[in-house]
Amino acid sequence: MQQIVNFILRNKTFLLFLLLLFISVMLTIQSHSYHRSRFINSANFLSGGIFNASNNISDYFGLREQNKLLQEENNQLKSILFNVENNLNSPYVDSLNFAKNYIFTPAQVIRNSYSSTNNILLLNRGKKDSIKQDFGVISSKGIIGIIEKTNANYATVLSILNTTSSISAKLKKTNHFGSIKWDGLLPNKIQLSEIPKIAPVATGDTIVTSGRSAIFPKNIPIGIVSSFNLDTAENYYEIEVTLFNDMTNIEHVYIIENRDVEQIENLLENND
């Protein structure tokens, strides 16, 4: 307080000058319409800038909530997309109630490994969210892996970057199918095998899920063919696939439940 008093005493002439300047400016504004309008416009510009900055700050801190809402909307759209009959010639293709086989649950990756040979992801969904073993996991860009274990609040995912993982996949343009496995080397490359040599494989071809298991719907993106050659017996191709997903930077995913999986498995068991 004493410092403030000392400052005022030392600079009283300067402060008096500022006071008189302020009074003269206010008198000028009050007595001249042009100056008054310019002052109001400037004040509005300043206040508008402040409110705009405040709104931008609010928007920034609201991004998390907005991302959550967008993910829920995407979840609904994906459910519709994979539940519509894939036969485009069907007159019932636009019926959203035609086949509701898949349930999609949004989740967030809270732990991700990609540098070992047996990589596991951890999701913030579990048994309380009706998540079970062998549910599929995808992102907006493609396949991620398969649910391995669950507890009340969390689930682990056997990543496609796990040397024990094997998932049915196919060439999108021809429907020739095989299995994708990882050789444990590069996190952006995976290998597709069992494609017969009669298949017209070409660099740049798209690889998708085959739909031949009860875990994933068919035609979920996986990657593109980056190179290929025949195996030693020259009966099948060994295909290198570049993944659509950046597996080192996964955050938001969708867990897929096939509602008919129990019926499918019971039928297959009865046929064995």
Side-chain angles (χ1 to χ4, degrees):
M1 186 66 183
Q2 184 62 40
Q3 292 178 343
I4 295 175
V5 173
N6 292 337
F7 176 81
I8 293 173
L9 292 175
R10 288 196 302 268
N11 299 277
K12 57 184 179 180
T13 302
F14 177 72
L15 294 174
L16 180 60
F17 169 77
L18 290 179
L19 178 60
L20 293 173
L21 178 62
F22 175 75
I23 293 172
S24 64
V25 169
M26 294 306 297
L27 289 173
T28 301
I29 291 171
Q30 291 296 326
S31 59
H32 295 81
S33 59
Y34 172 78
H35 293 90
R36 183 165 61 252
S37 65
R38 294 293 294 176
F39 174 78
I40 292 172
N41 289 338
S42 298
N44 288 338
F45 175 79
L46 179 61
S47 60
I50 292 172
F51 282 121
N52 184 58
S54 175
N55 185 64
N56 288 339
I57 292 171
S58 298
D59 287 345
Y60 176 80
F61 286 105
L63 283 177
R64 182 180 295 273
E65 184 63 26
Q66 291 300 316
N67 284 336
K68 182 179 178 181
L69 293 174
L70 286 173
Q71 189 182 29
E72 290 175 353
E73 290 176 2
N74 286 336
N75 181 59
Q76 295 174 0
L77 292 173
K78 285 180 182 295
S79 297
I80 293 173
L81 174 64
F82 286 105
N83 284 323
V84 170
E85 180 63 36
N86 285 316
N87 181 6
L88 296 180
N89 295 321
S90 169
Y92 303 106
V93 71
D94 60 344
S95 174
L96 300 182
N97 297 318
F98 183 74
K100 295 183 177 179
N101 298 334
Y102 296 100
I103 299 174
F104 286 72
T105 302
Q108 187 170 0
V109 176
I110 56 178
R111 183 177 179 183
N112 179 17
S113 69
Y114 50 83
S115 57
S116 69
T117 57
N118 299 306
N119 293 301
I120 299 292
L121 292 83
L122 181 64
L123 307 183
N124 65 340
R125 300 291 188 202
K127 291 180 179 178
K128 69 177 179 61
D129 305 295
S130 301
I131 305 304
K132 299 178 182 178
Q133 186 181 32
D134 291 334
F135 282 9
V137 182
I138 66 171
S139 76
S140 59
K141 292 184 178 180
I143 193 171
I144 297 294
I146 299 172
I147 296 292
E148 184 180 38
K149 297 178 182 178
T150 62
N151 61 21
N153 298 302
Y154 302 97
T156 57
V157 179
L158 188 71
S159 170
I160 57 172
L161 297 186
N162 191 306
T163 53
T164 64
S165 174
S166 179
I167 297 171
S168 181
K170 68 178 182 178
L171 291 168
K172 185 178 181 180
K173 70 178 184 180
T174 67
N175 288 326
H176 287 91
F177 67 93
S179 298
I180 56 168
K181 296 182 179 180
W182 188 48
D183 61 9
L185 299 178
L186 300 174
N188 65 329
K189 302 281 188 180
I190 203 163
Q191 290 68 47
L192 174 62
S193 59
E194 303 168 13
I195 300 295
K197 67 178 181 180
I198 61 172
V201 181
T203 301
D205 284 349
T206 300
I207 306 300
V208 297
T209 54
S210 69
R212 294 178 178 271
S213 75
I215 297 176
F216 293 103
K218 63 182 177 180
N219 295 326
I220 295 179
I222 297 174
I224 60 172
V225 174
S226 55
S227 64
F228 60 94
N229 57 270
L230 288 171
D231 61 13
T232 53
E234 296 191 351
N235 292 322
Y236 295 93
Y237 283 112
E238 296 175 338
I239 302 174
E240 188 94 344
V241 178
T242 300
L243 295 171
F244 288 129
N245 269 315
D246 179 357
M247 294 297 294
T248 68
N249 187 29
I250 301 296
E251 184 176 3
H252 298 289
V253 297
Y254 300 93
I255 303 170
I256 307 174
E257 175 187 358
N258 185 346
R259 299 175 67 179
D260 293 338
V261 65
E262 188 173 341
Q263 296 182 53
I264 295 171
E265 289 179 348
N266 288 338
L267 181 62
L268 291 176
E269 288 175 2
N270 292 334
N271 287 335
D272 289 341

